């Protein structure tokens, strides 16, 4: 079965503003995110990518544009199922404000029980994304063979939930996974089990350096802005 390359979108204006973007329209890449996207074709140059699938949201479409420009033989397939979590009434709000909401503790420690007001549950988010991957695995294998490589550009919480699914982790453990903007995660699927072969690879280890302020113990809903 195919190998899936998961790319989180580059750093966005919502990331740097500390906002939970969700499906809010008009959220674009910031200057650093655009540079991250521009570097993507070089990072993936050795891979024979068979198909490109993307979240319909602007920040993902902008992230893969340089790759599509570099490989005009590819076209993008938009799939809502790998779009960002539907955060409902939380969309567009500051993460600093949301940290005081009682639901945030559930999101952090028991996400399988969390449902966003006016939005979807985290279980539903994971289910739709995993179903999309399984359907695309079958389609890519049918059209390009079992050794094919294809790419999906998506969002932090979606990618983390797919990694948890691949590892057989309960969704309640997925907040222990971290993927930075424009990081590459790779999962090789086989008939019996998936293998996680890359996780959150940016090629840059800046985010591992000690910081003046230690990182918070909670996971950033939506994925965070990455290295400072």
């Amino acid at each position: 079965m195919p190998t899936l390359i998961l790319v989180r979108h580059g750093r966005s204006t919502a990331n740097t503003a500390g906002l939970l973007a969700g499906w809010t329209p008009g959220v674009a890449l910031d200057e650093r995110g655009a540079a991250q996207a521009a570097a993507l074709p070089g990072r993936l140059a050795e891979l024979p990518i068979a198909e490109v699938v993307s979240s319909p949201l602007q920040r993902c479409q902008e992230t893969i544009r340089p790759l599509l420009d570099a490989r005009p033989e590819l076209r993008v397939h938009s799939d809502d199922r790998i779009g960002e979590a539907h955060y409902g009434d939380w969309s567009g709000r500051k993460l600093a404000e949301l940290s005081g909401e009682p639901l945030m503790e559930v999101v952090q420690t028991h996400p399988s029980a969390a449902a966003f007001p006016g939005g979807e549950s985290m279980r539903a988010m994971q289910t739709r994304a995993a179903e999309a991957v399984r359907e695309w695995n079958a389609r890519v294998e049918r059209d390009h063979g079992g050794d094919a490589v294809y790419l999906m550009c998506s969002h932090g919480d979606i990618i983390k939930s797919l990694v948890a699914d691949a590892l057989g982790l309960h969704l309640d453990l997925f907040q222990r996974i971290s993927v930075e903007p424009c990081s590459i995660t790779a999962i090789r699927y086989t008939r019996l089990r998936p293998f996680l072969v890359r996780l959150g690879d940016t090629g840059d280890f800046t985010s591992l350096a000690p910081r003046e302020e230690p990182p918070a113990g909670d996971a950033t809903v939506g994925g965070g802005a990455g290295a400072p």
Side-chain angles (χ1 to χ4, degrees):
M1 293 179 69
T3 296
L4 170 60
I5 307 299
L6 288 160
V7 177
R8 185 183 167 202
H9 62 78
R11 197 175 75 175
S12 73
T13 53
N15 292 146
T16 48
L19 300 176
L20 186 62
W23 285 70
T24 305
V27 177
L29 298 183
D30 68 6
E31 184 176 353
R32 180 170 178 173
Q36 291 169 332
L40 197 57
R43 294 169 64 197
L44 299 172
E46 301 301 316
L47 293 181
I49 298 171
E51 300 281 1
V52 175
V53 187
S54 178
S55 158
L57 294 172
Q58 180 179 338
R59 52 198 183 274
C60 286
Q61 299 286 331
E62 290 180 351
T63 297
I64 57 169
R65 176 48 51 193
L67 177 64
L68 297 174
D69 289 344
R71 302 199 193 190
E73 73 279 7
L74 292 174
R75 66 185 182 91
V76 62
H77 305 273
S78 182
D79 194 325
D80 286 2
R81 295 173 297 175
I82 61 166
E84 182 62 284
H86 291 278
Y87 296 119
D89 297 344
W90 280 22
S91 299
R93 291 182 60 188
K94 285 190 171 293
L95 288 163
E97 296 174 1
L98 293 170
S99 64
E101 296 278 355
L103 177 60
M104 183 60 84
E105 186 177 11
V106 182
V107 169
Q108 293 291 331
T109 61
H110 191 17
S112 65
F116 297 101
E120 70 180 335
S121 70
M122 301 196 87
R123 285 180 291 105
M125 174 199 75
Q126 183 187 44
T127 297
R128 64 172 163 85
E131 287 177 349
V133 166
R134 283 161 174 77
E135 288 183 20
W136 277 102
N137 282 347
R139 178 172 172 175
V140 170
E141 182 174 18
R142 180 196 68 204
D143 294 345
H144 302 283
D147 293 330
V149 176
Y150 75 107
L151 181 147
M152 281 185 169
C153 186
S154 188
H155 306 265
D157 282 349
I158 295 289
I159 294 173
K160 287 162 55 177
S161 74
L162 289 171
V163 169
D165 175 76
L167 293 175
L169 291 177
H170 196 283
L171 184 61
D172 286 345
L173 300 178
F174 101 122
Q175 296 290 27
R176 302 184 184 193
I177 299 165
S178 176
V179 289
E180 292 199 1
C182 224
S183 63
I184 293 172
T185 294
I187 301 171
R188 181 173 294 123
Y189 288 87
T190 73
R191 185 174 66 86
L192 296 179
R193 72 195 67 153
F195 292 88
L196 178 67
V197 293
R198 292 288 189 280
L199 176 61
D201 189 343
T202 63
D204 178 2
F205 298 103
T206 305
S207 63
L208 302 181
R211 303 184 189 181
E212 291 184 8
E213 294 185 10
D218 286 342
T220 303
V221 180

